[in-house]
Amino acid sequence: MLLKSFFLICFSVVCFFAPGQYNLSANQVDSLIKLLAKAKEDTLKQDLLFRLGVANEYSNPYKSDQYFNESLLLARKLNDKDRILGCLVTLGFLYTRTGEAAKAIDLLQEALLYVEEKKEDASMALAFIASNYEAQDDLNNAIEYARKSLLIYEKRVMDKLPVDERGYPAGPMRMGQLFEKYGQLDSAMYYGQISYQRILERPFKVYVDAWPYFYCQICNLLGNIHSRKNQPADAIRFYRLSFNKATEIASVTGIQESQLALATFNNKNNEPDSAIIYATQAYEGAKKIKGFGVMKESALLLRTVYEKQGDFAKALLYYDFAVAARDSVTGAEKVREVQNFTNREERRREKIQEDIVAGKSAYKIKIKTYSLLGIIAGVLLLAIILYRNNRQKNKANTLLQEQKDEVHKALSELKSTQAQLIQSEKMASLGELTAGIAHEIQNPLNFVNNFSEVSIELIAEMENELKTGDKDEAIAIATDIKQNLEKINHHGKRADGIVKGMLQHSRSSSGAKELTDINALADEYLRLAYHGLRAKDKTFNANLLTDFDEGIGKINIIPQDIGRVLLNLYNNAFYSAPLLPEGGTKDADGIHHPAVWVSTKKINDKVLISVKDNGPGIPQKIINKIFQPFFTTKPTGQGTGLGLSLSYDIVKAHGGELKVVTPPAGRAGKEGEGSEFIMILPFS
């Protein structure tokens, strides 16, 4: 039953992505129009209208809009949910690309009701909704719907349920686009590269005509990121890939989006002439198909370029074009209705004139005149209604702006609170280090005190020997005193090094990388973490096993930041190691001995730092959540849930990767016995 339902959905929704649907010849389109004129059954008419909408979707979205809307009306008349769903999704996708966000959201929200009722894959509908919230600058809702889209698709794949394969590259692509708009370029690059890799892994084999358009969008995304990172060579390479693919598949929308991206790039790189050429081509192309989103953005860009050149007349002209494109989203249909009404009125006037010429009765002319006056009154009434609606729209925009201001204020407060929590996490980390450092520094201080006391006694003995005239004995005692002073100096320097290490950890990171011995850093923080826990709990004990690759040498890192990551991983391992794995086995003597393994290894141009424990491990159902901010499995009051999240961000900022494996690789065991965190850093 599920497969049958899914087949019906595919027939209605997915058929618009079937191979060849976008590239019908003019003769094929004419054949469809002739079949439509002869069709008598509503089901056949609906199918033909839908196919005509698909055929014009990328070449003439305005005409495609008309066909899809007529198809939707017939589907509603037939009360066929599968056909309704297909029309809702395709229209939503069409309005998404033409910049009509309000219409798209309304249709896609209705489509979601049908999808959820049938328990089918909702990932693409959610992704389209995210795109339209982004178009309205509502980035919070955009992120929420994009994340839902990605999670739903991946969960259905994991559960082996039927999926909409467009979600394979589109989900991470949407996340990348939103993070790029937020200015979070590292996250944007992460998702952009995932989507690019996915579309290269399965190049245009599924939904042959949709994936090339996604390819164009992904290339534009990567181009934007490289441009914002001041990497022009990489940026222009991806922009050209997008433009070439859009030209190859004759995607009018894709070509316009690529032209707009190239215009923005050239403007940023002080090439105004090229920026004007590309932006003008994008505007004129979008104008032909009523692509209001591209029209608005390209017109605003042209305004900016002309302002810089001092051509304020053209700047003002394109600003007016941008405002008109924005307002056309809500006013286009009303303008068409008034135009149709005016055409009918002109035809009626011509008919009245013909009646007069033909010498019809004055009474009939009077009736026609009164009818004309009634029509004029109707036009005036319509004008009054439109004026009233415009005033209400202005009031609604004012209210919306006030609400947006409140949301921005709340977001600022949230960011401030988050910064305070992060600082608290860092101070907690410093507090845990203090106990370990106190233990470490106690050993050299004990040596200093002991050797000092012994040296005092030896000096007294040497004085006595000198008084008695035993010069040889006095020289021997002086030699002992010298050795004691050397040991005092050695342990004093050791204590000084520990204190400097503590100060280095406690001060804010300068953000500057320096060559650091990763083995020494890993060993130092292991001892500090262990002694810190021992200072708080004298009963705590664990076996520490290290295996450091001496061939690594020094790597370029920020030692304070990587030290915080290591400290967090060690503390988590020491917290987990004493816990007996559920259903797991004890050691040979029948007792569970906590143990922590730390190793480093250089593989090609990467350095791997592994931290393992023999605790209960991490359940598979939560393993995907452990790097999320504020997620913790510790009891209330024992953890903020920020440690691993901060560690993940620090490693990413170093160009590395932090991942978890449970059970640890290379150890005998089953799920629920131990876990391993692996930090991967670039060697250079």
Side-chain angles (χ1 to χ4, degrees), residues 86-113:
C87 292
L88 290 173
V89 173
T90 49
L91 263 176
F93 182 45
L94 178 65
Y95 289 144
T96 298
R97 291 187 296 102
T98 57
E100 300 176 83
K103 289 182 180 180
I105 291 174
D106 184 49
L107 291 170
L108 292 170
Q109 290 285 11
E110 183 181 353
L112 276 180
L113 298 177

Side-chain angles (χ1 to χ4, degrees), residues 346-360 365:
E346 289 177 356
R347 287 196 296 271
R348 292 192 183 204
R349 285 174 179 269
E350 292 173 359
K351 185 66 170 63
I352 291 173
Q353 188 64 31
E354 290 174 359
D355 290 342
I356 293 174
V357 173
K360 292 196 173 182
I365 293 174

Side-chain angles (χ1 to χ4, degrees), residues 402-540:
E402 292 175 354
Q403 292 174 344
K404 287 176 67 176
D405 292 341
E406 292 177 1
V407 170
H408 287 311
K409 180 180 178 182
L411 181 60
S412 298
E413 293 175 354
L414 178 61
K415 288 181 177 179
S416 176
T417 303
Q418 186 180 20
Q420 293 174 5
L421 285 172
I422 291 172
Q423 184 61 27
S424 298
E425 177 70 17
K426 291 180 179 178
M427 293 304 296
S429 170
L430 179 60
E432 291 174 351
L433 266 185
T434 303
I437 290 170
H439 180 278
E440 283 291 298
I441 205 171
Q442 188 63 47
N443 287 334
L445 287 178
N446 287 338
F447 279 108
V448 170
N449 292 334
N450 291 337
F451 284 116
S452 297
E453 293 173 359
V454 172
S455 296
I456 292 171
E457 295 175 359
L458 289 174
I459 289 172
E461 292 180 10
M462 185 174 66
E463 288 177 348
N464 292 332
E465 296 297 336
L466 289 173
K467 288 178 181 179
T468 58
D470 191 346
K471 184 178 179 181
D472 293 337
E473 185 64 26
I475 292 173
I477 293 173
T479 302
D480 292 339
I481 293 173
K482 179 182 178 183
Q483 292 176 351
N484 288 350
L485 291 175
E486 289 175 349
K487 292 178 180 178
I488 290 172
N489 181 57
H490 168 73
H491 291 289
K493 288 182 178 179
R494 181 183 170 198
D496 179 65
I498 293 171
V499 171
K500 286 181 179 177
M502 179 183 71
L503 292 175
Q504 186 180 39
H505 177 82
S506 62
R507 69 172 180 255
S508 297
S509 171
S510 63
K513 293 183 178 181
E514 57 186 78
L515 290 175
T516 305
D517 188 335
I518 191 66
N519 291 339
L521 190 71
D523 186 60
E524 175 188 356
Y525 276 89
L526 177 64
R527 289 186 290 102
L528 292 177
Y530 178 70
H531 291 308
L533 288 175
R534 287 275 297 170
K536 291 192 294 184
D537 182 5
K538 297 297 184 183
T539 64
F540 175 79

Side-chain angles (χ1 to χ4, degrees), residues 67 114 121 178 234 272 329 356-357 368 403 424 428 441 469 475 532 556 600 608 633:
Y67 284 126
Y114 290 98
D121 184 5
L178 290 168
D234 290 327
V329 173
I356 293 174
V357 173
K368 296 289 186 180
Q403 292 174 344
S424 298
I441 205 171
I475 292 173
N556 204 25
T600 61
L608 277 64
T633 59

Side-chain angles (χ1 to χ4, degrees), residues 17 59 76 115 190 201-202 241 292 298 310 349 361 583 610 656:
F17 282 113
S59 59
R76 294 191 190 279
V115 173
Y190 172 74
E201 285 174 357
R202 295 153 70 177
L241 286 173
F292 300 117
S298 55
R349 285 174 179 269
S361 65
S610 167

Side-chain angles (χ1 to χ4, degrees), residues 10-80:
C10 289
F11 178 77
S12 297
V13 182
V14 178
C15 68
F16 78 100
F17 282 113
Q21 289 292 309
Y22 294 105
N23 300 315
L24 295 181
S25 65
N27 290 336
Q28 290 174 314
V29 173
D30 289 340
S31 298
L32 289 176
I33 294 173
K34 291 177 181 178
L35 288 173
L36 178 63
K38 297 178 181 179
K40 296 181 179 179
E41 295 182 0
D42 287 342
T43 54
L44 180 57
K45 289 181 180 179
Q46 195 272 338
D47 288 338
L48 291 170
L49 286 167
F50 191 90
R51 292 185 63 193
L52 284 167
V54 170
N56 289 278
E57 187 171 1
Y58 284 93
S59 59
N60 192 340
Y62 177 64
K63 185 177 292 186
S64 177
D65 180 7
Q66 294 178 317
Y67 284 126
F68 279 139
N69 270 296
E70 292 178 21
S71 178
L72 178 59
L73 287 175
L74 279 177
R76 294 191 190 279
K77 179 181 177 182
L78 294 168
N79 196 27
D80 188 322

Side-chain angles (χ1 to χ4, degrees), residues 165-444:
E165 282 294 329
R166 290 168 294 169
Y168 184 64
M173 176 188 74
R174 290 298 309 121
M175 293 294 290
Q177 289 170 332
L178 290 168
F179 277 119
E180 189 266 333
K181 195 162 189 175
Y182 260 129
Q184 298 182 11
L185 300 184
D186 289 340
S187 297
M189 180 65 77
Y190 172 74
Y191 285 107
Q193 288 175 340
I194 288 178
S195 59
Y196 186 69
Q197 185 61 36
R198 287 185 175 183
I199 210 162
L200 291 181
E201 285 174 357
R202 295 153 70 177
F204 319 141
K205 292 181 180 178
V206 183
Y207 300 105
V208 174
D209 296 303
W211 281 39
Y213 179 66
F214 287 158
Y215 177 84
C216 296
Q217 288 191 306
I218 293 168
C219 288
N220 282 334
L221 166 63
L222 292 171
N224 292 341
I225 296 170
H226 284 298
S227 177
R228 294 181 67 174
K229 285 191 168 188
N230 295 320
Q231 298 167 345
D234 290 327
I236 197 67
R237 177 168 61 88
F238 281 107
Y239 287 144
R240 285 172 177 166
L241 286 173
S242 173
F243 183 80
N244 292 339
K245 179 57 65 175
T247 304
E248 177 188 333
I249 64 173
S251 171
V252 177
T253 306
I255 292 172
Q256 294 160 9
E257 291 174 354
S258 299
Q259 289 170 337
L260 178 57
L262 285 166
T264 305
F265 173 80
N266 284 314
N267 180 50
K268 178 183 176 183
N269 288 276
N270 298 319
E271 296 182 9
D273 294 338
S274 297
I276 290 173
I277 292 172
Y278 282 118
T280 304
Q281 290 175 347
Y283 178 82
E284 294 299 332
K287 182 179 178 181
K288 293 178 182 179
I289 62 171
K290 300 294 189 294
F292 300 117
V294 175
M295 288 172 65
K296 182 188 75 171
E297 296 299 329
S298 55
L300 288 175
L301 178 60
L302 285 167
R303 174 204 176 186
T304 302
V305 177
Y306 281 125
E307 275 185 351
K308 289 180 180 179
Q309 293 183 338
D311 192 342
F312 297 105
K314 286 187 178 180
L316 181 59
L317 175 65
Y318 277 103
Y319 177 72
D320 291 339
F321 288 165
V323 172
R326 181 195 63 196
D327 293 341
S328 294
V329 173
T330 55
E333 293 181 359
K334 293 179 181 179
V335 171
R336 289 199 296 272
E337 290 175 1
V338 173
Q339 184 63 46
N340 291 336
F341 186 83
T342 302
N343 292 337
R344 291 197 300 270
E345 178 59 23
E346 289 177 356
R347 287 196 296 271
R348 292 192 183 204
R349 285 174 179 269
E350 292 173 359
K351 185 66 170 63
I352 291 173
Q353 188 64 31
E354 290 174 359
D355 290 342
I356 293 174
V357 173
K360 292 196 173 182
S361 65
Y363 177 76
K364 193 170 184 179
I365 293 174
K366 187 182 293 187
I367 294 298
K368 296 289 186 180
T369 303
Y370 287 149
S371 299
L372 178 60
L373 291 174
I375 292 171
I376 293 173
V379 172
L380 291 174
L381 179 61
L382 178 61
I384 292 171
I385 292 173
L386 290 174
Y387 173 74
R388 178 174 174 273
N389 288 344
N390 188 57
R391 288 189 60 188
Q392 291 177 343
K393 177 183 175 182
N394 290 336
K395 290 180 180 179
N397 287 339
T398 302
L399 178 60
L400 179 61
Q401 184 61 43
E402 292 175 354
Q403 292 174 344
K404 287 176 67 176
D405 292 341
E406 292 177 1
V407 170
H408 287 311
K409 180 180 178 182
L411 181 60
S412 298
E413 293 175 354
L414 178 61
K415 288 181 177 179
S416 176
T417 303
Q418 186 180 20
Q420 293 174 5
L421 285 172
I422 291 172
Q423 184 61 27
S424 298
E425 177 70 17
K426 291 180 179 178
M427 293 304 296
S429 170
L430 179 60
E432 291 174 351
L433 266 185
T434 303
I437 290 170
H439 180 278
E440 283 291 298
I441 205 171
Q442 188 63 47
N443 287 334

